[in-house]
C-alpha cells in the first residue's frame, strides 16, 4: 500500500486516497501545548507527540492507530506541589459512516457500547481533537505528589469542637436516637 505523510492537524476525508496509508506526526509548539494545558487543567505540557497512521477501513471508513507520548505537570490535589507524569499510550479510533452506527431514539435508555473506539466519520478527521481527547483520558484525575496523604481535616470556628468522620455518618446518629427513644419509652 502506498504511503503519504502529513503533519496537518485536520485531514479532509475527500482528499484522502482510499488505496493509501496516511502517516502523521503532530508535535505541537510551546504556545499550542500551553493552550492545551490550560484547557485540560494542567500546569504545563512539556513534551507532546502524537504519531501514527490512517488506513482505509472497509469501503468508506478509516482506522487510526497511533502512539501518544507526553510529559505533563499538574498540581497535587493535596499539597498543590507540581506532579510530573509521563504518558506513553496507544490510541485507536475507527471512523465509520454514520449510517453504520447504531442509532437510538432521543430520550430512550441505551447501553454504552463496548467498543468506544468507533466514531462517526464526518468531512474531516481532526487529529488534534483525537490527540487532545486521548491526553485528557490519560492524565491522572487526582495527581498526588510523592508522600502526600490525605490526613483527617478538621474545620470549625474558634471555640467549637469540629465534627469527626464518625459523627457525620448518616446512620451513626440514628442508632443513638433509637437508643434514646427506647430509654424515653421505658421511663414514660
Amino acid at each position: 500500500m502506498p504511503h503519504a505523510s502529513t503533519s496537518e492537524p485536520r485531514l479532509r476525508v475527500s482528499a484522502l486516497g482510499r488505496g493509501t496509508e496516511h502517516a502523521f506526526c503532530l508535535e505541537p509548539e510551546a504556545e499550542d501545548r500551553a493552550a492545551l494545558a490550560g484547557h485540560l487543567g494542567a500546569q504545563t505540557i512539556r513534551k507532546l507527540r502524537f504519531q501514527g497512521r490512517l488506513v482505509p477501513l472497509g469501503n468508506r471508513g478509516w482506522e487510526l492507530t497511533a502512539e501518544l507520548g507526553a510529559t505533563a505537570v499538574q498540581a497535587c490535589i493535596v499539597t498543590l506541589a507540581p506532579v510530573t507524569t509521563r504518558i506513553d499510550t496507544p490510541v485507536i479510533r475507527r471512523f465509520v459512516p454514520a449510517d453504520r452506527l447504531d442509532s437510538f431514539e432521543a430520550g430512550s435508555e441505551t447501553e454504552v457500547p463496548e467498543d468506544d473506539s468507533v466514531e462517526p466519520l464526518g468531512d474531516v478527521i481532526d487529529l488534534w481533537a483525537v490527540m487532545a481527547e486521548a491526553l485528557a483520558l490519560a492524565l491522572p484525575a487526582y495527581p498526588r505528589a510523592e508522600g502526600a496523604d490525605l490526613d483527617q481535616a478538621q474545620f470549625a470556628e474558634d471555640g467549637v469542637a469540629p465534627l469527626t468522620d464518625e459523627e457525620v455518618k448518616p446512620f451513626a446518629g440514628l442508632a443513638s436516637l433509637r437508643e434514646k427513644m427506647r430509654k424515653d419509652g421505658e421511663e414514660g
Side-chain angles (χ1 to χ4, degrees):
M1 181 177 292
H3 298 312
S5 185
T6 185
S7 60
E8 290 296 316
R10 294 173 48 96
L11 303 175
R12 182 160 295 290
V13 174
S14 61
L16 297 174
R18 293 295 306 164
T20 305
E21 177 180 299
H22 300 273
F24 61 87
C25 183
L26 300 181
E27 291 182 289
E29 298 291 328
E31 183 177 304
D32 294 327
R33 291 192 317 267
L36 186 56
H39 179 71
L40 297 176
Q43 292 175 342
T44 62
I45 298 174
R46 292 187 191 151
K47 296 178 184 177
L48 180 56
R49 181 182 182 130
F50 187 55
Q51 183 173 8
R53 62 192 183 107
L54 271 172
V55 295
L57 178 67
N59 292 338
R60 299 181 350 217
W62 291 92
E63 182 176 64
L64 177 147
T65 55
E67 289 293 324
L68 174 70
T71 302
V73 179
Q74 298 171 276
C76 172
I77 63 164
V78 177
T79 66
L80 299 180
V83 177
T84 302
T85 303
R86 178 67 196 158
I87 296 167
D88 289 298
T89 188
V91 178
I92 297 173
R93 295 289 186 280
R94 291 174 188 88
F95 298 93
V96 297
D99 62 352
R100 294 199 180 158
L101 293 174
D102 293 330
S103 59
F104 303 99
E105 290 182 31
S108 69
E109 290 186 26
T110 59
E111 291 187 26
V112 176
E114 287 184 34
D115 188 359
D116 61 356
S117 68
V118 177
E119 296 192 19
L121 179 64
D123 295 334
V124 172
I125 295 177
D126 191 340
L127 300 175
W128 182 273
V130 174
M131 175 185 67
E133 177 187 56
L135 181 58
L137 292 171
L139 283 173
Y142 303 103
R144 277 198 195 168
E146 192 171 320
D149 289 325
L150 288 173
D151 292 331
Q152 184 174 358
Q154 296 183 352
F155 303 98
E157 294 180 22
D158 290 338
V160 176
L163 290 173
T164 65
D165 287 341
E166 289 299 315
E167 292 172 327
V168 295
K169 289 186 177 174
F171 295 107
L174 291 177
S176 65
L177 179 61
R178 181 179 64 197
E179 286 301 314
K180 184 177 187 266
M181 290 175 68
R182 280 186 187 161
K183 287 182 183 177
D184 289 347
E186 291 173 4
E187 292 175 5

